[in-house]
Amino acid sequence: MARTPTTTPAPATPSHEDEVLIREIDEAVREDALFTFMRDHGIKVLGVILLGLAGLGGYLIWDHYAEKALEEQSETLISALDYMDRRDFKTASEKVAPLLADDASPAARAAARFLQAAAALEEGNNDKATGLFKEIAADAEAPPALRDLARVRDVSLNFDRMKPADVIAQLSPLAKPGSAYFGSAAELVAMAHLEAGNRAEAGKLFAAIAKDEDLPETLRSRARQMAGLMGVDAIVDVKKLLKDEGVTDDAPEAPEANAGNTAAAE
C-alpha cells in the first residue's frame, strides 16, 4: 500500500504586530543590559573618562608652558649672540647665565656654555673655557653633536699640554670618515700619532683627510702636504688638483710632434 508523502509546513510569517513586539522586547533587553552595566561599572567608566580629560588638559597646559619656556630660552641665546657680534663678551656671558640652571633644556644649557667658553677665550681665560667644554662633553643630556664638538674644542685648545695617547683615545671615535667632525678630529689624531712616532697611522689619516671632498680645501691641502711628507700618496685626480691649484697645461707641443703632424698632412 502506497504511503502518503508528507511535507514540512513552511514557517508562518510573523505578522506586523509580532515584529513590533519583537523589536520592543529587543530594545528592552538592550536597555536593561546597559542599565545593569552602568549600575555595576558606571563609576569606574566615569572615573576613567575624567582621568583622561584631566591628563589631556594637564598635557596641554604643560606643552604651552614648555613651548613658552623654549621660546624665552631661544630669545636669550639670540640676544647673547647679538652682544657677541658687538664684542661685548662680558654682557653676552651674563645674559646666558640663567640657562645654566637644571630647568633649562639640555640644548640651551649646552649652547649657553659654548657662548661662555667663547667669551672666556676672547678674554684669554683658557682654563675657564676648558672647564666649560668639559662640562658640555660630560653632560649626558646634551645633544651628542654638541658633546662631540666640545670634546674636539677641548682637545684642540689643550693639545700641546696633552699626551698623544690621551688625544688619540678621546678623538679616535670622531676621526672616522662620515663623522660630522672628521676633518678636525682626524687632523688632531694624526698629529698625535706623528708625535708618538707612528708615521704610518699619521700618513693614513692625513691621506684620508686630503681625499675627502666635503672638507675645506685649506684643510685638504695641508693634509695632502703632510701625507706627502709621510710618503703616502694622497692625490686622487692629478688633473683636477692642478686645475684647482690654478695650474694650466699651456706647454707648446714638441717640435718632433709638429713635424710629424705636418708630414702626415702632406
Side-chain angles (χ1 to χ4, degrees):
M1 180 177 183
R3 299 178 59 183
T4 303
T6 60
T7 58
T8 303
T13 303
S15 64
H16 176 70
E17 291 78 6
D18 291 340
E19 290 181 353
V20 172
L21 180 60
I22 292 172
R23 280 202 300 269
E24 290 178 352
I25 294 173
D26 185 58
E27 290 176 2
V29 171
R30 291 175 183 272
E31 289 176 0
D32 184 64
L34 178 61
F35 174 77
T36 303
F37 176 81
M38 292 303 296
R39 182 190 61 194
D40 297 339
H41 307 287
I43 296 177
K44 297 178 183 178
V45 172
L46 182 60
V48 171
I49 294 174
L50 291 177
L51 284 175
L53 292 175
L56 177 60
Y59 170 77
L60 293 175
I61 294 173
W62 172 85
D63 184 64
H64 169 73
Y65 283 103
E67 185 176 352
K68 185 178 179 181
L70 289 175
E71 290 177 356
E72 292 175 352
Q73 293 170 17
S74 299
E75 291 174 358
T76 300
L77 289 171
I78 292 172
S79 177
L81 287 172
D82 290 338
Y83 282 107
M84 294 283 282
D85 289 339
R86 286 179 257 172
R87 305 194 64 78
D88 187 351
F89 304 107
K90 184 175 183 298
T91 303
S93 181
E94 294 173 350
K95 197 78 175 175
V96 298
L99 298 182
L100 300 180
D102 292 336
D103 57 349
S105 72
R109 188 166 59 242
R113 284 175 175 150
F114 268 116
L115 285 175
Q116 288 194 335
L121 289 174
E122 289 293 338
E123 296 170 356
N125 193 343
N126 291 358
D127 290 338
K128 180 179 179 180
T130 295
L132 288 165
F133 287 139
K134 291 185 181 301
E135 288 178 6
I136 299 169
D139 189 350
E141 295 182 345
L146 296 182
R147 294 171 60 192
D148 292 341
L149 177 58
R151 192 174 294 112
V152 172
R153 294 290 291 119
D154 179 29
V155 172
S156 64
L157 185 61
N158 297 285
F159 183 86
D160 294 335
R161 296 183 291 177
M162 295 178 65
K163 295 179 180 179
D166 293 337
V167 174
I168 295 169
Q170 289 195 41
L171 295 186
S172 285
L174 306 179
K176 298 177 181 179
S179 168
Y181 306 107
F182 167 64
S184 301
E187 185 177 35
L188 290 168
V189 172
M191 292 299 297
H193 277 302
L194 190 59
E195 288 194 4
N198 194 347
R199 295 171 62 88
E201 286 297 324
K204 289 179 183 178
L205 276 174
F206 282 128
I209 296 171
K211 294 176 181 179
D212 192 334
E213 296 184 356
D214 292 331
L215 297 177
E217 182 55 34
T218 53
L219 174 59
R220 295 178 61 200
S221 177
R222 188 165 64 245
R224 193 180 299 116
Q225 294 175 8
M226 293 299 297
L229 293 175
M230 304 296 106
V232 179
D233 183 13
I235 301 176
V236 178
D237 189 336
V238 177
K239 290 184 178 180
K240 184 177 184 301
L241 175 62
L242 292 175
K243 183 178 180 181
D244 292 340
E245 296 290 338
V247 179
T248 57
D249 186 10
D250 295 331
E253 292 184 88
E256 294 82 359
N258 288 334
N261 290 337
T262 304
E266 293 175 351

